[in-house]
Amino acid sequence: MPLLAVAGLLAGCATTPTLTLLPTEEGKQGAVAVLEENGKPMETVVSELNSSTNLSGTPRTRSIDPSKMSARQRELLQALPPAPVRLTLYFLEGTTELTPESQPGLAFLIKEVSERPGAEVQVTGYTDTLGEADANDRLSQQRAEEVLGVLAKQGIDPTLMSAVGRGERNLRVATPDGVSEPANRRVVVTIR
């Protein structure tokens, strides 16, 4: 969940609409377009990171000084869930077998999930461009399910996990068709 959605709670006064813009979970900056207030066109874009904008009347944006936050505001920020963790694991060509270098990543994933009660785990599999596209779709799904199965065997609740295969789509290293590229034979595990 982006911090922005939760950050609206930092506004303070319920009678004055206020928008607080904080970084996303990935630490990136976004923007929010406010198109109307009480049915009246407004067309304001709030894009200043770590800011609070009063949306009543003429919008006014001010920077947030973390040292001047109230105890309640700091409490709300500390209550936010931890940022997501992403780990990429690599596979031997044409298989669902992890490379030896990726094996330690499983222990890391298990530790991360166990430290986040109710964590959501998304496993996305990919392949290189060797072979037919349909076969690569199946192989990428099998890779994702293999990782999901390993995590489930370690006691992670399968209902909190999902696996999807993307085949040759979203290559990490762009290659023409029929090229063996180890960086493309992977799964990306995201823990939220």
PDB file of all heavy atoms in Angstrom, residues 57-76:
ATOM      1  N   GLY A  57     -10.248  26.298  -0.081  1.00  0.00           N
ATOM      2  CA  GLY A  57      -9.989  27.604  -0.699  1.00  0.00           C
ATOM      3  C   GLY A  57      -8.836  27.492  -1.662  1.00  0.00           C
ATOM      4  O   GLY A  57      -8.762  26.572  -2.457  1.00  0.00           O
ATOM      5  N   THR A  58      -7.885  28.419  -1.600  1.00  0.00           N
ATOM      6  CA  THR A  58      -6.693  28.358  -2.441  1.00  0.00           C
ATOM      7  C   THR A  58      -5.709  27.385  -1.804  1.00  0.00           C
ATOM      8  O   THR A  58      -5.264  27.608  -0.670  1.00  0.00           O
ATOM      9  CB  THR A  58      -6.036  29.755  -2.552  1.00  0.00           C
ATOM     10  OG1 THR A  58      -7.011  30.658  -3.071  1.00  0.00           O
ATOM     11  CG2 THR A  58      -4.826  29.710  -3.456  1.00  0.00           C
ATOM     12  N   PRO A  59      -5.383  26.290  -2.490  1.00  0.00           N
ATOM     13  CA  PRO A  59      -4.483  25.301  -1.897  1.00  0.00           C
ATOM     14  C   PRO A  59      -3.141  25.909  -1.508  1.00  0.00           C
ATOM     15  O   PRO A  59      -2.572  26.698  -2.245  1.00  0.00           O
ATOM     16  CB  PRO A  59      -4.313  24.263  -3.015  1.00  0.00           C
ATOM     17  CG  PRO A  59      -5.508  24.442  -3.877  1.00  0.00           C
ATOM     18  CD  PRO A  59      -5.841  25.909  -3.810  1.00  0.00           C
ATOM     19  N   ARG A  60      -2.684  25.525  -0.324  1.00  0.00           N
ATOM     20  CA  ARG A  60      -1.388  25.977   0.181  1.00  0.00           C
ATOM     21  C   ARG A  60      -0.594  24.749   0.613  1.00  0.00           C
ATOM     22  O   ARG A  60      -1.059  23.959   1.430  1.00  0.00           O
ATOM     23  CB  ARG A  60      -1.581  26.927   1.369  1.00  0.00           C
ATOM     24  CG  ARG A  60      -2.230  28.264   0.986  1.00  0.00           C
ATOM     25  CD  ARG A  60      -2.478  29.173   2.186  1.00  0.00           C
ATOM     26  NE  ARG A  60      -3.136  28.546   3.324  1.00  0.00           N
ATOM     27  CZ  ARG A  60      -4.459  28.332   3.426  1.00  0.00           C
ATOM     28  NH1 ARG A  60      -5.259  28.665   2.442  1.00  0.00           N
ATOM     29  NH2 ARG A  60      -4.972  27.782   4.502  1.00  0.00           N
ATOM     30  N   THR A  61       0.607  24.611   0.058  1.00  0.00           N
ATOM     31  CA  THR A  61       1.474  23.475   0.365  1.00  0.00           C
ATOM     32  C   THR A  61       2.616  23.941   1.246  1.00  0.00           C
ATOM     33  O   THR A  61       3.204  24.993   1.010  1.00  0.00           O
ATOM     34  CB  THR A  61       2.029  22.855  -0.939  1.00  0.00           C
ATOM     35  OG1 THR A  61       0.935  22.390  -1.719  1.00  0.00           O
ATOM     36  CG2 THR A  61       2.963  21.695  -0.649  1.00  0.00           C
ATOM     37  N   ARG A  62       2.907  23.145   2.265  1.00  0.00           N
ATOM     38  CA  ARG A  62       4.061  23.454   3.115  1.00  0.00           C
ATOM     39  C   ARG A  62       4.846  22.173   3.351  1.00  0.00           C
ATOM     40  O   ARG A  62       4.284  21.080   3.415  1.00  0.00           O
ATOM     41  CB  ARG A  62       3.630  24.075   4.439  1.00  0.00           C
ATOM     42  CG  ARG A  62       2.775  23.190   5.301  1.00  0.00           C
ATOM     43  CD  ARG A  62       2.394  23.877   6.623  1.00  0.00           C
ATOM     44  NE  ARG A  62       1.423  23.095   7.338  1.00  0.00           N
ATOM     45  CZ  ARG A  62       1.679  22.024   8.075  1.00  0.00           C
ATOM     46  NH1 ARG A  62       2.915  21.616   8.227  1.00  0.00           N
ATOM     47  NH2 ARG A  62       0.724  21.363   8.695  1.00  0.00           N
ATOM     48  N   SER A  63       6.147  22.310   3.446  1.00  0.00           N
ATOM     49  CA  SER A  63       7.005  21.160   3.713  1.00  0.00           C
ATOM     50  C   SER A  63       6.776  20.669   5.130  1.00  0.00           C
ATOM     51  O   SER A  63       6.461  21.447   6.029  1.00  0.00           O
ATOM     52  CB  SER A  63       8.475  21.537   3.550  1.00  0.00           C
ATOM     53  OG  SER A  63       8.743  21.845   2.210  1.00  0.00           O
ATOM     54  N   ILE A  64       6.948  19.385   5.302  1.00  0.00           N
ATOM     55  CA  ILE A  64       6.824  18.798   6.632  1.00  0.00           C
ATOM     56  C   ILE A  64       8.225  18.655   7.208  1.00  0.00           C
ATOM     57  O   ILE A  64       9.092  18.025   6.607  1.00  0.00           O
ATOM     58  CB  ILE A  64       6.149  17.416   6.567  1.00  0.00           C
ATOM     59  CG1 ILE A  64       4.727  17.544   6.042  1.00  0.00           C
ATOM     60  CG2 ILE A  64       6.163  16.743   7.923  1.00  0.00           C
ATOM     61  CD1 ILE A  64       4.053  16.218   5.769  1.00  0.00           C
ATOM     62  N   ASP A  65       8.431  19.233   8.353  1.00  0.00           N
ATOM     63  CA  ASP A  65       9.701  19.112   9.062  1.00  0.00           C
ATOM     64  C   ASP A  65       9.543  17.960  10.050  1.00  0.00           C
ATOM     65  O   ASP A  65       8.797  18.087  11.029  1.00  0.00           O
ATOM     66  CB  ASP A  65      10.019  20.413   9.791  1.00  0.00           C
ATOM     67  CG  ASP A  65      11.335  20.370  10.538  1.00  0.00           C
ATOM     68  OD1 ASP A  65      11.933  19.268  10.659  1.00  0.00           O
ATOM     69  OD2 ASP A  65      11.769  21.429  11.008  1.00  0.00           O
ATOM     70  N   PRO A  66      10.205  16.819   9.809  1.00  0.00           N
ATOM     71  CA  PRO A  66      10.026  15.661  10.688  1.00  0.00           C
ATOM     72  C   PRO A  66      10.305  15.969  12.162  1.00  0.00           C
ATOM     73  O   PRO A  66       9.685  15.388  13.044  1.00  0.00           O
ATOM     74  CB  PRO A  66      11.028  14.633  10.150  1.00  0.00           C
ATOM     75  CG  PRO A  66      11.259  15.035   8.733  1.00  0.00           C
ATOM     76  CD  PRO A  66      11.107  16.534   8.704  1.00  0.00           C
ATOM     77  N   SER A  67      11.183  16.921  12.421  1.00  0.00           N
ATOM     78  CA  SER A  67      11.494  17.236  13.822  1.00  0.00           C
ATOM     79  C   SER A  67      10.354  17.997  14.503  1.00  0.00           C
ATOM     80  O   SER A  67      10.320  18.106  15.722  1.00  0.00           O
ATOM     81  CB  SER A  67      12.786  18.058  13.901  1.00  0.00           C
ATOM     82  OG  SER A  67      12.582  19.340  13.326  1.00  0.00           O
ATOM     83  N   LYS A  68       9.412  18.519  13.717  1.00  0.00           N
ATOM     84  CA  LYS A  68       8.300  19.278  14.293  1.00  0.00           C
ATOM     85  C   LYS A  68       6.973  18.518  14.236  1.00  0.00           C
ATOM     86  O   LYS A  68       5.924  19.100  14.472  1.00  0.00           O
ATOM     87  CB  LYS A  68       8.158  20.616  13.559  1.00  0.00           C
ATOM     88  CG  LYS A  68       9.352  21.521  13.779  1.00  0.00           C
ATOM     89  CD  LYS A  68       9.179  22.835  13.081  1.00  0.00           C
ATOM     90  CE  LYS A  68      10.419  23.706  13.321  1.00  0.00           C
ATOM     91  NZ  LYS A  68      10.335  24.963  12.608  1.00  0.00           N
ATOM     92  N   MET A  69       7.045  17.233  13.915  1.00  0.00           N
ATOM     93  CA  MET A  69       5.823  16.437  13.875  1.00  0.00           C
ATOM     94  C   MET A  69       5.311  16.204  15.287  1.00  0.00           C
ATOM     95  O   MET A  69       6.091  16.077  16.230  1.00  0.00           O
ATOM     96  CB  MET A  69       6.078  15.090  13.193  1.00  0.00           C
ATOM     97  CG  MET A  69       6.388  15.204  11.721  1.00  0.00           C
ATOM     98  SD  MET A  69       6.811  13.617  11.014  1.00  0.00           S
ATOM     99  CE  MET A  69       5.186  12.993  10.691  1.00  0.00           C
ATOM    100  N   SER A  70       4.007  16.121  15.408  1.00  0.00           N
ATOM    101  CA  SER A  70       3.417  15.836  16.710  1.00  0.00           C
ATOM    102  C   SER A  70       3.660  14.368  17.066  1.00  0.00           C
ATOM    103  O   SER A  70       3.978  13.545  16.201  1.00  0.00           O
ATOM    104  CB  SER A  70       1.908  16.102  16.683  1.00  0.00           C
ATOM    105  OG  SER A  70       1.250  15.122  15.897  1.00  0.00           O
ATOM    106  N   ALA A  71       3.505  14.055  18.332  1.00  0.00           N
ATOM    107  CA  ALA A  71       3.680  12.672  18.787  1.00  0.00           C
ATOM    108  C   ALA A  71       2.707  11.756  18.053  1.00  0.00           C
ATOM    109  O   ALA A  71       3.058  10.641  17.660  1.00  0.00           O
ATOM    110  CB  ALA A  71       3.479  12.581  20.293  1.00  0.00           C
ATOM    111  N   ARG A  72       1.491  12.211  17.827  1.00  0.00           N
ATOM    112  CA  ARG A  72       0.478  11.406  17.130  1.00  0.00           C
ATOM    113  C   ARG A  72       0.895  11.153  15.679  1.00  0.00           C
ATOM    114  O   ARG A  72       0.737  10.050  15.160  1.00  0.00           O
ATOM    115  CB  ARG A  72      -0.882  12.121  17.179  1.00  0.00           C
ATOM    116  CG  ARG A  72      -1.975  11.414  16.422  1.00  0.00           C
ATOM    117  CD  ARG A  72      -2.386  10.139  17.118  1.00  0.00           C
ATOM    118  NE  ARG A  72      -3.470   9.520  16.379  1.00  0.00           N
ATOM    119  CZ  ARG A  72      -3.563   8.236  16.132  1.00  0.00           C
ATOM    120  NH1 ARG A  72      -2.667   7.419  16.609  1.00  0.00           N
ATOM    121  NH2 ARG A  72      -4.569   7.760  15.456  1.00  0.00           N
ATOM    122  N   GLN A  73       1.446  12.154  15.012  1.00  0.00           N
ATOM    123  CA  GLN A  73       1.892  11.978  13.635  1.00  0.00           C
ATOM    124  C   GLN A  73       3.040  10.971  13.560  1.00  0.00           C
ATOM    125  O   GLN A  73       3.062  10.101  12.691  1.00  0.00           O
ATOM    126  CB  GLN A  73       2.324  13.319  13.038  1.00  0.00           C
ATOM    127  CG  GLN A  73       1.158  14.250  12.771  1.00  0.00           C
ATOM    128  CD  GLN A  73       1.603  15.643  12.391  1.00  0.00           C
ATOM    129  OE1 GLN A  73       2.604  16.151  12.913  1.00  0.00           O
ATOM    130  NE2 GLN A  73       0.860  16.273  11.499  1.00  0.00           N
ATOM    131  N   ARG A  74       4.004  11.070  14.486  1.00  0.00           N
ATOM    132  CA  ARG A  74       5.105  10.102  14.509  1.00  0.00           C
ATOM    133  C   ARG A  74       4.588   8.702  14.788  1.00  0.00           C
ATOM    134  O   ARG A  74       5.049   7.724  14.207  1.00  0.00           O
ATOM    135  CB  ARG A  74       6.150  10.521  15.542  1.00  0.00           C
ATOM    136  CG  ARG A  74       7.049  11.656  15.070  1.00  0.00           C
ATOM    137  CD  ARG A  74       8.250  11.866  15.976  1.00  0.00           C
ATOM    138  NE  ARG A  74       7.908  12.251  17.325  1.00  0.00           N
ATOM    139  CZ  ARG A  74       7.578  13.485  17.706  1.00  0.00           C
ATOM    140  NH1 ARG A  74       7.564  14.457  16.817  1.00  0.00           N
ATOM    141  NH2 ARG A  74       7.281  13.757  18.956  1.00  0.00           N
ATOM    142  N   GLU A  75       3.604   8.590  15.671  1.00  0.00           N
ATOM    143  CA  GLU A  75       2.977   7.309  15.990  1.00  0.00           C
ATOM    144  C   GLU A  75       2.348   6.684  14.746  1.00  0.00           C
ATOM    145  O   GLU A  75       2.497   5.489  14.493  1.00  0.00           O
ATOM    146  CB  GLU A  75       1.881   7.559  17.043  1.00  0.00           C
ATOM    147  CG  GLU A  75       1.710   6.495  18.074  1.00  0.00           C
ATOM    148  CD  GLU A  75       0.668   6.963  19.089  1.00  0.00           C
ATOM    149  OE1 GLU A  75       1.053   7.651  20.060  1.00  0.00           O
ATOM    150  OE2 GLU A  75      -0.515   6.635  18.883  1.00  0.00           O
ATOM    151  N   LEU A  76       1.636   7.498  13.965  1.00  0.00           N
ATOM    152  CA  LEU A  76       0.999   6.999  12.752  1.00  0.00           C
ATOM    153  C   LEU A  76       2.033   6.517  11.737  1.00  0.00           C
ATOM    154  O   LEU A  76       1.869   5.470  11.118  1.00  0.00           O
ATOM    155  CB  LEU A  76       0.126   8.089  12.124  1.00  0.00           C
ATOM    156  CG  LEU A  76      -1.195   8.364  12.827  1.00  0.00           C
ATOM    157  CD1 LEU A  76      -1.835   9.638  12.301  1.00  0.00           C
ATOM    158  CD2 LEU A  76      -2.143   7.187  12.656  1.00  0.00           C
TER     159      LEU A  76
END
